[in-house]
Amino acid sequence: MKGGQPSTQVAISSLAPTWAQRTAAAGRILASMSSSVRAAVFRSPDQEVEVETLELDDPREGEVRVRILASGVCHSDLHVRDGEWPRPAPVAMGHEGAGVIETVGPGVTDRHAGQPVVLSWLVPCGVCRACRAGRVWACPDSPSFRHRRPDGSTVLSGQAGEPVSSYCGIGTMAGATVVPVAAAIPLPDGVDPAVAALIGCCVSTGVGAVLKTAQVPAGSSVAVIGLGGVGLSCVMGAVLAGASRIVAIDRVAAKLEVARGVGATDGVVAGDDPAATIGAIRELTDRGPDFAFEAIGRVPTVELAIESLPLGGTAVLVGMTRFEARASFAVYPLVDGSRRILGSNYGFADPAVDFPRYAQWHLDGRLPVERLIDRRVGLDGIEAAFDRLRAGDGLRQILVPDAQLP
């Protein structure tokens, strides 16, 4: 990596720790629990994310402290790193994580030390119109959006007492974190923490876009544009939905093989000519897919998804663009052809309900999340991980606190 220590890469085949194995060490972890933690801290897009030693506050009422065992490297993190999504700096990065509860704060009775959990980056306020209607993913007043506690304080601070925010209120690229109890979702035993971390964001985003946002009927044709962790999760969601044709599209041919491995029936290598790519998609789906999922968050691919639709088709926009991005489409054919455009944030997730369900599907062999993971590195590998993400190199990367690497 540029600056800092070299990253540590570990063979994937040797990394399948179960919750039981991790929890067996909980006693040692609790005995050595310190107020100091290492965390990947963003300060400015003009400087690298550095791993710093910070002070972690004790959990207050309604909070739990979680030892992080795995944190995914998501494109949303890269948007922050590159200055495309303004966030209150300094901020501890990461919003896709899983770990073991170390201690609970006053008043917490439904969680306990040693309990494995996956963290949700969205904690619903519980009182707004969306929450009252059961649409927790649409909550506009979530404390997660402030990246701090409700009273404005932070759980992290620098060595001189400087407040450090936690991304989405959870800051998972760290050795440990303190979060609201509602953000710590218990999972069934036997799930690899890295798999659990991905369920906390990319899997729920992609699978939920298919099953909950679009509610794809069995027998439908589906196209998925962009085969990162979210796009591949869309592919897996289409399999669960019983789609008859699942066309995977990406510029990297190797990713098409991964997509076939999780259930895609066909693949298209996208080129520089959008018309040629659209033509290939239409040829494989009888004039166009019933549902086209855009899972990258780029204006050209958003427009490609809309343009590929047949009469009555639906484009589902899953990828998140930079804030100021604007796309365009021809209005007449959209209306005349009864086509639709749907936005899908977080796969319409209700974390307390959906995370355990997706985890059980994984344990049952129906949701092969482990196939999304192609690299695990220590915290000091964060900048190299961002470089790979920018280049579209590989699938999902997992950051593991150095002490947890075998």
Side-chain angles (χ1 to χ4, degrees):
M1 65 176 284
K2 304 177 211 170
Q5 302 175 16
S7 63
T8 304
Q9 184 176 347
V10 182
I12 295 303
S13 60
S14 69
L15 281 162
T18 65
W19 283 124
Q21 291 170 318
R22 295 300 198 187
T23 306
R28 296 191 297 276
I29 291 173
L30 292 170
S32 62
M33 191 171 65
S34 168
S35 63
S36 296
V37 297
R38 298 176 77 238
V41 179
F42 167 84
R43 292 183 176 273
S44 165
D46 298 326
Q47 64 186 89
E48 293 185 347
V49 170
E50 296 284 349
V51 177
E52 302 180 16
T53 298
L54 305 175
E55 294 300 307
L56 180 62
D57 199 5
D58 291 333
R60 299 178 183 175
E61 185 170 358
E63 296 178 335
V64 296
R65 171 172 165 146
V66 178
R67 170 73 63 173
I68 298 297
L69 301 178
S71 180
V73 183
C74 178
H75 213 103
S76 295
D77 300 306
L78 184 61
H79 280 304
V80 175
R81 164 63 184 88
D82 290 346
E84 296 173 353
W85 291 3
R87 292 293 183 264
V91 59
M93 299 289 287
H95 66 284
E96 185 177 71
V100 174
I101 292 177
E102 291 185 309
T103 186
V104 303
V108 176
T109 59
D110 56 351
R111 303 288 191 278
H112 59 82
Q115 187 173 28
V117 291
V118 57
L119 300 185
S120 169
W121 59 258
L122 176 66
V123 175
C125 73
V127 297
C128 71
R129 179 177 65 181
C131 286
R132 294 197 308 271
R135 297 181 289 109
V136 298
W137 62 88
C139 173
D141 299 317
S142 168
S144 306
F145 301 150
R146 294 187 286 275
H147 313 284
R148 295 185 173 216
R149 284 170 162 149
D151 66 0
S153 66
T154 64
V155 303
L156 291 167
S157 58
Q159 296 299 303
E162 170 194 25
V164 177
S165 299
S166 300
Y167 189 28
C168 291
I170 57 177
T172 59
M173 292 181 181
T177 186
V178 169
V179 302
V181 66
I185 312 297
L187 288 188
D189 289 336
V191 183
D192 177 354
V195 167
L198 298 190
I199 287 172
C201 184
C202 88
V203 170
S204 293
T205 298
V207 172
V210 177
L211 299 183
K212 301 190 71 177
T213 306
Q215 300 181 26
V216 171
S220 301
S221 60
V222 168
V224 178
I225 303 168
L227 302 176
V230 172
L232 290 169
S233 296
C234 289
V235 171
M236 292 190 290
V239 173
L240 290 169
S244 60
R245 203 75 182 260
I246 305 171
V247 181
I249 302 100
D250 201 282
R251 285 181 171 271
V252 181
K255 292 185 178 182
L256 302 184
E257 293 308 311
V258 178
R260 288 189 176 95
V262 298
T265 59
D266 303 275
V268 172
V269 177
D272 293 333
D273 181 4
T277 301
I278 291 170
I281 296 170
R282 287 177 174 168
E283 183 176 351
L284 290 168
T285 55
D286 188 18
R287 301 185 183 181
D290 297 317
F291 296 87
F293 292 84
E294 197 281 345
I296 304 173
R298 296 180 62 247
V299 169
T301 45
V302 166
E303 294 173 346
L304 187 148
I306 297 169
E307 186 69 21
S308 72
L309 297 177
L311 294 173
T314 300
V316 186
L317 309 186
V318 187
M320 302 292 284
T321 68
R322 61 180 65 197
F323 280 177
E324 71 277 10
R326 302 181 69 87
S328 63
F329 59 88
V331 177
Y332 181 86
L334 187 86
V335 177
D336 185 59
S338 297
R339 296 168 172 89
R340 297 187 300 162
I341 302 172
L342 299 178
S344 181
N345 183 28
Y346 212 1
F348 284 13
D350 184 345
V353 174
D354 292 327
F355 289 3
R357 178 174 59 153
Y358 297 154
Q360 190 59 56
W361 287 350
H362 168 71
L363 293 173
D364 294 342
R366 300 176 61 197
L367 198 54
V369 180
E370 74 283 353
R371 298 191 186 183
L372 306 185
I373 304 167
D374 69 343
R375 189 184 301 258
R376 308 190 192 205
V377 300
L379 281 177
D380 292 299
I382 180 60
E383 275 295 321
F386 283 145
D387 287 342
R388 285 188 288 269
L389 190 57
R390 286 188 199 94
D393 178 17
L395 305 174
R396 206 58 159 197
Q397 302 174 83
I398 299 293
L399 290 184
V400 182
D402 296 339
Q404 304 295 334
L405 288 172

